[in-house]
Amino acid sequence: MTVLLTGGAGYIGSHTAAELLAAGYDVIIADNFSNSSPAVLDRLEQIAWKRPKLYNVDVSDKSAFERVFAENKIDSVIHFAGYKSVGESVRVPLNYYRNNIDCTLATLELVDKYSVNSFIFSSSATVYGAENEVPYREDMRVGPCSNPYGWTKLFIEQIIKDFSSAKPEFSAVLLRYFNPVGAHRSGLIGEDPRGIPNNLMPYISKVAVGALPVLKIFGNDYPTRDGTGVRDYIHVIDLAKGHVAAMRFAENNRGTEVFNLGTGKGESVLEMVGAFGNACGRPVPYEFAPRRSGDLPEYYADVRKANEVLGWKAELSVADMCRDAWNWQSRNPNGYEE
Ligand code: WQD
């Protein structure tokens, strides 16, 4: 079976590729490397002893992207391609709407033309907005989103649902990620954000490896157990396995289904800082700073639906997440740059 990963050289995509290769699937990656590295292909070959087929293409350029479908019999598409920085989306919203929606429309038009009936989408817990009680459940209301990035995810979910309603034989799975962290056990692939990391774990990793001086903790006056923000951190390998389970579900079902991919537990920023210090063998220097606008105090997933329907459950611990994140960062202090 052949699976196409749009944006498959990215953080989640590359780990999903590793799991798919290990499970015996043939993998095609379509990526323009706007936020990823070609080195990922060599690393995946080292991990899986099999190399994904690569198309270096902008997924939003439909005429160029069509080659992938014309030259291969594709059984399933996992759609990762898109910009994903919350802060950047506020600064350049039109770039986010243009890119993320065009990538999706081009992919769906080709999926339609070439009769691919299995489609997995990389969505995000950010679509739940700020008004839901925790833990978040898939049948809860969605929106309003607090940034253009989140709105693109919500708009794309709607586009997929409407497309699916018009095609009875189509099967779509929307995966709402909570907070992916960690890296492949080998330390060969991992999270490699461009510039100064926005997210907590890559920032802590850069401080631990000496690339950044100190972690700023955004707010210690939240109504949480220690005053710092609480999130549902999930190991990227568990997340990748969730995509394989979702693809298997899509093969045997029709219509659109939504699943949370999280652990169902929340950890605070201070707890993550402590866990990472244990993993790297020394305390991570930090200082408290004002709250970051748009941040919520606490959210985590209700994971019963994925557990019961997909037969999938996150198994790796916060200690595993920090161990593997540190292993990747310490072996690759400059990420994929040689
Ligand atoms: C986690 C916690 C911060 C950095 C975002 C997106 C979401 C998803 C995951 C794509 C919060 C605190 C962070 C720092 C800090 N991305 N923090 N200092 O904001 O929960 O979610 O990334 O799908 O869509 O919204 O993740 O890692 O940025 O923050 O104190 O330097 O760490 O305040 O409490 P977030 P995050």
Side-chain angles (χ1 to χ4, degrees):
M1 217 183 119
T2 300
V3 188
L4 166 61
L5 308 185
T6 72
Y11 175 41
I12 316 296
S14 57
H15 287 81
T16 302
E19 290 304 316
L20 287 167
L21 290 168
Y25 292 94
D26 292 319
V27 173
I28 299 173
I29 286 176
D31 204 307
N32 65 354
F33 302 116
S34 63
N35 191 23
S36 56
S37 167
V40 163
L41 280 293
D42 295 333
R43 303 293 183 92
L44 284 170
E45 189 170 18
Q46 281 180 263
I47 289 169
W49 299 95
K50 198 173 159 190
R51 191 181 184 86
K53 192 171 183 182
L54 171 68
Y55 285 81
N56 180 351
V57 65
D58 180 344
V59 166
S60 69
D61 177 352
K62 188 175 146 188
S63 55
F65 185 29
E66 181 160 7
R67 259 185 67 219
V68 181
F69 291 82
E71 295 175 2
N72 301 279
K73 166 81 177 68
I74 293 164
D75 299 294
S76 182
V77 171
I78 307 183
H79 180 43
F80 295 103
Y83 299 153
K84 65 167 190 174
S85 165
V86 168
E88 186 184 51
S89 79
V90 174
R91 288 192 298 276
V92 285
L94 297 185
N95 294 8
Y96 271 67
Y97 288 117
R98 170 62 71 193
N99 181 68
N100 291 6
I101 293 173
D102 278 3
C103 282
T104 303
L105 292 175
T107 305
L108 286 174
E109 287 169 345
L110 291 167
V111 152
D112 191 16
K113 180 174 179 180
Y114 289 86
S115 305
V116 178
N117 288 321
S118 165
F119 190 86
I120 317 298
F121 174 56
S122 166
S123 190
S124 168
T126 201
V127 305
Y128 284 109
E131 289 154 20
N132 282 305
E133 297 288 309
V134 285
Y136 291 164
R137 221 181 33 255
E138 290 89 347
D139 61 359
M140 285 181 168
R141 58 164 294 168
V142 287
C145 297
S146 58
N147 55 76
Y149 160 77
W151 281 116
T152 67
K153 291 296 186 184
L154 190 50
F155 293 160
I156 291 167
E157 285 198 0
Q158 190 57 52
I159 290 167
I160 295 166
K161 284 175 185 168
D162 290 342
F163 175 75
S164 178
S165 302
K167 285 180 65 76
E169 70 283 9
F170 189 69
S171 178
V173 177
L174 312 179
L175 298 176
R176 291 177 181 165
Y177 305 166
F178 280 72
N179 288 56
V181 295
H184 191 269
R185 191 77 183 79
S186 65
L188 287 168
I189 55 175
E191 189 168 12
D192 183 23
R194 298 265 152 104
I196 306 286
N198 299 301
N199 297 137
L200 179 67
M201 183 61 90
Y203 202 104
I204 291 176
S205 301
K206 291 286 185 194
V207 171
V209 82
L212 290 168
V214 64
L215 168 72
K216 284 191 172 46
I217 297 182
F218 300 138
N220 65 332
D221 59 350
Y222 282 110
T224 61
R225 52 183 176 265
D226 61 18
T228 63
V230 171
R231 296 290 185 275
D232 184 333
Y233 296 96
I234 176 172
H235 198 298
V236 66
I237 292 298
D238 277 327
L239 194 74
K241 291 182 184 290
H243 288 72
V244 180
M247 205 177 59
R248 290 182 175 140
F249 172 84
E251 285 165 37
N252 305 304
N253 289 275
R254 292 293 171 267
T256 301
E257 278 298 342
V258 181
F259 294 96
N260 289 334
L261 292 188
T263 65
K265 297 191 293 294
E267 306 294 330
S268 77
V269 177
L270 277 173
E271 287 163 348
M272 294 303 279
V273 169
F276 202 93
N278 294 338
C280 70
R282 54 181 177 272
V284 176
Y286 67 84
E287 61 194 33
F288 292 119
R291 293 181 178 189
R292 181 173 64 177
S293 74
D295 273 356
L296 298 176
E298 177 168 16
Y299 61 86
Y300 49 91
D302 179 323
V303 294
R304 284 174 295 178
K305 187 178 175 188
N307 296 172
E308 290 158 14
V309 178
L310 295 183
W312 168 90
K313 187 175 174 59
E315 290 163 0
L316 295 167
S317 67
V318 166
D320 296 324
M321 297 173 205
C322 293
R323 177 200 65 214
D324 294 340
W326 176 239
N327 184 39
W328 151 256
Q329 188 71 83
S330 52
R331 288 165 179 257
N332 305 273
N334 300 313
Y336 290 110
E337 277 167 40
E338 293 304 327

